[in-house]
Amino acid sequence: MGSPAGPVDVEPMPGYLELISRASAVMLDAWTDCGGCGLELSRRTLLENANITWTEIGLFFFCAFLWTQIRKGLTQSLFKPLAQWWRLMPKDAAKMPESAWKLLFCSMSWSYSTYLLFFTSYSFFHDPPSVFYNWKSGMSVPTDIAIAYLIQGSFYGHSIYATIYMDAWRKDSAVMVVHHIITLALISFSYAFRYHNVGILVLFLHDISDIQLEFTKLNVYLKSRGGGYYLLNDILSNTGSVCFSITWFWFRLYWFPLKVLYATCVSSFQSVPNIPFYFFFNTLLFALLLMNIYWFLVLKMKEVNDVREYEDEDSSRAAGNRKPLAANNEDDAGHHNSAQGKHVQNGVAKEKHL
């Protein structure tokens, strides 16, 4: 199963219409030519092409356990003391360690992916079809990419456990568990079948949104703390929310389909005819794209601003303790609060800080 060395010129990135037309045509041809496809062929292909050792499986479970222990240690020794020192609201204090942990890990993992794609000889970002140049079944995985796979794969293994047993349960937590399972399946199978080059590109395009999401949530928690209002954290949370929306669309809904899906649907078949598990991997990648669209349209604002409910609770409690005032007195009180450096939020006057 030979593969060409690849063209010298970088193939220009396609548009959405070209992706849809060419991908659908190639997939239709692949499906038509797959007369012998079935469970027996899948089993034989799996046995012939999957390459993963028991040592690598053991390292995966060890590192997943290690991430869980590191998170527990940081939560008890750093994140919870910080929440107490900042005097966060109780529900914010309960969620703050989760966001701080995810921000720390995603910043580290995305920085490493960035290093691999832009500060080494790999050209996968600028030339996505190159992820399949010289592909061979059972080829060796470069050490630097293998390290990235071990870090990311074990983290998603930890994340499945953490979402169920450690994180605060949210409306989209079930979807998050499914997302982690699909991501772990993509990481595991892409490593075993030596599709690690495209895997690094997928990880790079997804981690940056998680960084901005957790950064924004932390500043939402911090803007109302200790009975006061902090303008800087409010500005940072609003800025983070805007940047999150932009990067989510640009990285996950623009670059991901046009760079990754085009490469896996079209370029892969050009470089590697009869590439193993072509439909399986592309189905998982399209499922990931659909979840990205779902979160972008439905859950983004709920996830970023999930502490609004706490502010409403504060407002309700404060309303029960306030005496009714005439409209003109309320106006006077509002001006007085402004003059005294107070910020009124949901009817509650809070000390205003920078």
Side-chain angles (χ1 to χ4, degrees), residues 132-176:
F132 292 106
Y133 295 164
N134 301 313
W135 180 91
K136 295 179 182 178
S137 177
M139 62 190 294
S140 61
V141 180
T143 302
D144 50 6
I145 292 182
I147 291 173
Y149 260 75
L150 178 60
I151 292 172
Q152 292 276 7
S154 60
F155 177 78
Y156 279 101
H158 150 78
S159 296
I160 294 172
Y161 170 84
T163 302
I164 299 173
Y165 296 106
M166 298 177 68
D167 298 345
W169 192 259
R170 298 181 175 87
K171 292 180 180 180
D172 69 331
S173 291
V175 179
M176 188 65 70

Side-chain angles (χ1 to χ4, degrees), residues 105-118:
F105 176 84
C106 291
S107 298
M108 177 194 70
S109 61
W110 187 75
S111 297
Y112 187 56
S113 299
T114 302
Y115 161 75
L116 291 177
L117 290 175
F118 296 97

Side-chain angles (χ1 to χ4, degrees), residues 69-243:
Q69 297 308 308
I70 292 174
R71 174 176 172 175
K72 288 180 178 178
L74 287 175
T75 297
Q76 295 299 325
S77 63
L78 179 61
F79 300 147
K80 284 187 175 180
L82 276 176
Q84 293 175 351
W85 183 59
W86 283 327
R87 296 187 296 162
L88 298 181
M89 291 186 292
K91 290 187 177 181
D92 292 350
K95 291 187 176 183
M96 174 267 184
E98 175 190 342
S99 290
W101 164 249
K102 290 179 179 178
L103 176 62
L104 179 64
F105 176 84
C106 291
S107 298
M108 177 194 70
S109 61
W110 187 75
S111 297
Y112 187 56
S113 299
T114 302
Y115 161 75
L116 291 177
L117 290 175
F118 296 97
F119 298 94
T120 65
S121 60
Y122 301 125
S123 60
F124 309 141
F125 180 82
H126 301 291
D127 185 19
S130 68
V131 298
F132 292 106
Y133 295 164
N134 301 313
W135 180 91
K136 295 179 182 178
S137 177
M139 62 190 294
S140 61
V141 180
T143 302
D144 50 6
I145 292 182
I147 291 173
Y149 260 75
L150 178 60
I151 292 172
Q152 292 276 7
S154 60
F155 177 78
Y156 279 101
H158 150 78
S159 296
I160 294 172
Y161 170 84
T163 302
I164 299 173
Y165 296 106
M166 298 177 68
D167 298 345
W169 192 259
R170 298 181 175 87
K171 292 180 180 180
D172 69 331
S173 291
V175 179
M176 188 65 70
V177 172
V178 175
H179 167 271
H180 293 335
I181 292 173
I182 291 177
T183 304
L184 182 57
L186 276 168
I187 291 173
S188 302
F189 281 96
S190 65
Y191 181 85
F193 285 90
R194 300 306 189 247
Y195 301 144
H196 46 273
N197 293 342
V198 70
I200 291 298
L201 188 54
V202 173
L203 293 170
F204 166 77
L205 294 175
H206 282 73
D207 279 348
I208 187 172
S209 300
D210 294 329
I211 294 172
Q212 294 175 336
L213 172 63
E214 303 306 334
F215 173 81
T216 300
K217 289 166 66 176
L218 280 175
N219 279 282
V220 171
Y221 300 150
L222 289 170
K223 71 180 181 182
S224 297
R225 64 184 192 270
Y229 162 78
Y230 289 79
L231 177 61
L232 177 60
N233 295 115
D234 196 6
I235 294 174
L236 288 174
S237 68
N238 291 327
T239 303
S241 181
V242 173
C243 292

